[in-house]
């Protein structure tokens, strides 16, 4: 299937780039060959630079990549370097002149050695060895073959191992998997905000007027205007694809009797989440598929 797809990409690219087809197989209109392109891809994946990584996708995949959530884009880039956090990329070459990309994070550094390209018209396949930089014997090295296709005179990502990077076909599956995480994070966010509100109430004997009052102070010590209890995302009412809403219930904000409600609603229904979550004035959590609308205490209790 992969080679059939590669052939289809090659034919499509040939029709678009008749002028560049007459060039040497590794040459592009910008003079950057597949090895140099893959080096740039790995560097972008290492630093989790979404804009830079997107430059090396085919036009069809680039459009789908732009629709993906930031978390899904990062998850895709992690597959190229097998690291959970962003790192610092440095490039060098081995004695044979083959590119090497090192990705350094606080905990571990990986090394990716790129082999020679197997060129087939407008498609190139490059072997890559990925290993921990401390593994001098290569006993735990991963051997991966990456595919690139020439589109409009530039090399673009085609495959990672046996995974054809047809992002429009994959994004629905990835969104479903991603939604489980974002929905779980939304519940955690509501609990975190609720805890911050109670801490604020205990310290200042009243409810905060808005989530912004729970954020970090720009200067000086924490105070009633910026209590330093939430990160900037939550203080702005946004967290991992969900919008967080805080509403004071009743006229009074003073003392223990004052009540409030919280809601978490998917920013992109069907992509960042399906269920809307609601924390009632007694602290009970509710959840329901509201098709993107705000939840209420009439929704089923969240177990």
């Amino acid at each position: 299937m992969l080679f059939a797809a590669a052939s289809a990409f090659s034919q499509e690219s040939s029709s678009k780039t008749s002028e560049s087809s007459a060039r040497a197989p590794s040459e592009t209109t910008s003079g950057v060959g597949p090895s140099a392109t893959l080096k740039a891809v790995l560097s972008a994946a290492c630093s989790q630079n979404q804009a830079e990584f997107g430059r090396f996708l085919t036009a069809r995949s680039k459009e789908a990549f732009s629709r993906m959530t930031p978390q899904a884009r990062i998850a895709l880039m992690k597959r190229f370097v097998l690291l959970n956090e962003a790192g610092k990329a440095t490039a060098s070459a081995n004695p044979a002149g083959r590119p090497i990309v090192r990705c350094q994070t606080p905990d571990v550094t990986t090394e990716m050695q790129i082999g020679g390209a197997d060129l087939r018209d407008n498609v190139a396949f490059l072997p890559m060895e990925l290993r921990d930089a401390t593994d001098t014997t290569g006993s735990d090295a991963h051997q991966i073959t990456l595919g690139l296709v020439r589109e409009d005179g530039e090399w673009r990502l085609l495959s990672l191992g046996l995974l054809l990077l047809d992002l429009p076909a994959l994004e629905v599956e990835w969104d479903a998997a991603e939604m489980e995480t974002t929905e779980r994070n939304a519940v955690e966010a509501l609990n975190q905000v609720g805890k911050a509100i109670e801490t604020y109430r205990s310290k200042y004997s009243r409810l905060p007027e808005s989530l912004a009052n729970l954020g970090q102070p720009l200067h000086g010590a924490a105070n009633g205007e910026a209590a330093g209890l939430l990160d900037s995302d939550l203080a702005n009412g946004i967290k991992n694809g969900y919008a967080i809403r805080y509403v004071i219930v009743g006229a009074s904000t003073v003392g223990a009797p004052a009540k409030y409600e919280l809601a978490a609603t998917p920013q992109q229904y069907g992509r960042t989440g399906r269920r809307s979550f609601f924390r009632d004035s007694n602290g009970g959590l509710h959840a329901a598929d509201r098709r993107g609308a705000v939840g209420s205490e009439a929704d089923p209790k969240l177990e």
Side-chain angles (χ1 to χ4, degrees):
M1 180 183 69
L2 175 60
F3 282 100
S7 176
F9 270 98
S10 178
Q11 293 172 11
E12 179 182 357
S13 180
S14 296
S15 66
K16 291 181 178 180
T17 59
S18 58
E19 178 182 350
S20 60
S21 296
R23 304 174 188 270
S26 62
E27 184 185 358
T28 67
T29 55
S30 64
V32 177
S35 294
T37 298
L38 182 54
K39 182 173 68 173
V41 168
L42 296 175
S43 296
C46 168
S47 61
Q48 296 182 3
N49 187 326
Q50 299 179 27
E52 183 69 8
F53 186 84
R55 289 181 51 228
F56 303 105
L57 298 174
T58 63
R60 187 166 183 264
S61 288
K62 184 182 296 185
E63 182 181 349
F65 187 73
S66 69
R67 293 194 301 264
M68 293 165 60
T69 65
Q71 293 78 19
R73 292 179 209 149
I74 289 174
L76 173 62
M77 291 185 287
K78 286 179 181 178
R79 298 189 182 197
F80 285 80
V81 294
L82 300 184
L83 290 171
N84 286 326
E85 55 185 324
K88 179 181 179 181
T90 57
S92 60
N94 66 11
R98 299 296 184 193
I100 297 176
V101 177
R102 290 170 66 93
C103 186
Q104 181 178 1
T105 71
D107 297 326
V108 66
T109 298
T110 58
E111 185 176 276
M112 293 153 280
Q113 298 191 32
I114 302 171
D118 178 9
L119 294 162
R120 309 182 185 187
D121 296 325
N122 286 328
V123 176
F125 294 95
L126 295 93
M128 181 185 76
E129 181 181 273
L130 189 156
R131 63 182 178 182
D132 191 309
T134 61
D135 179 15
T136 56
T137 64
S139 57
D140 293 324
H142 298 268
Q143 306 291 336
I144 307 168
T145 298
L146 293 102
L148 289 89
V149 62
R150 190 159 53 187
E151 183 180 82
D152 294 329
E154 303 290 341
W155 289 103
R156 303 284 185 249
L157 278 169
L158 173 66
S159 65
L160 170 62
L162 295 178
L163 174 64
L164 183 65
L165 290 181
D166 185 5
L167 297 191
L170 292 171
E171 63 177 326
V172 174
E173 176 185 343
W174 286 355
D175 280 347
E178 187 72 18
M179 278 192 291
E180 294 182 12
T181 301
T182 56
E183 289 188 354
R184 185 168 59 250
N185 289 343
V187 174
E188 293 176 359
L190 287 185
N191 289 330
Q192 186 178 352
V193 172
K195 182 178 179 180
I197 291 173
E198 293 304 330
T199 300
Y200 185 100
R201 187 210 301 262
S202 176
K203 184 172 183 178
Y204 297 104
S205 300
R206 60 184 175 85
L207 293 178
E209 293 182 5
S210 69
L211 293 180
N213 297 138
L214 303 173
Q216 302 298 319
L218 295 178
H219 306 287
N223 53 69
E225 296 300 314
L229 299 171
L230 293 178
D231 62 32
S232 59
D233 285 345
L234 278 177
N236 287 320
I238 297 173
K239 194 67 173 182
N240 296 333
Y242 266 78
I244 311 298
R245 191 184 75 160
Y246 162 61
V247 176
I248 296 172
V249 180
S252 175
T253 65
V254 178
K259 293 188 176 183
Y260 61 91
E261 296 172 344
L262 296 172
T265 310
Q267 290 181 290
Q268 293 179 274
Y269 174 76
R271 297 191 68 88
T272 61
R274 290 190 182 279
R275 291 188 295 171
S276 295
F277 300 96
F278 186 83
R279 187 181 190 274
D280 62 38
S281 59
N282 295 314
L285 287 173
H286 306 259
D289 184 345
R290 288 272 188 159
R291 303 196 65 81
V294 177
S296 76
E297 61 183 348
D299 294 336
K301 280 280 188 80
L302 184 65
E303 300 296 333

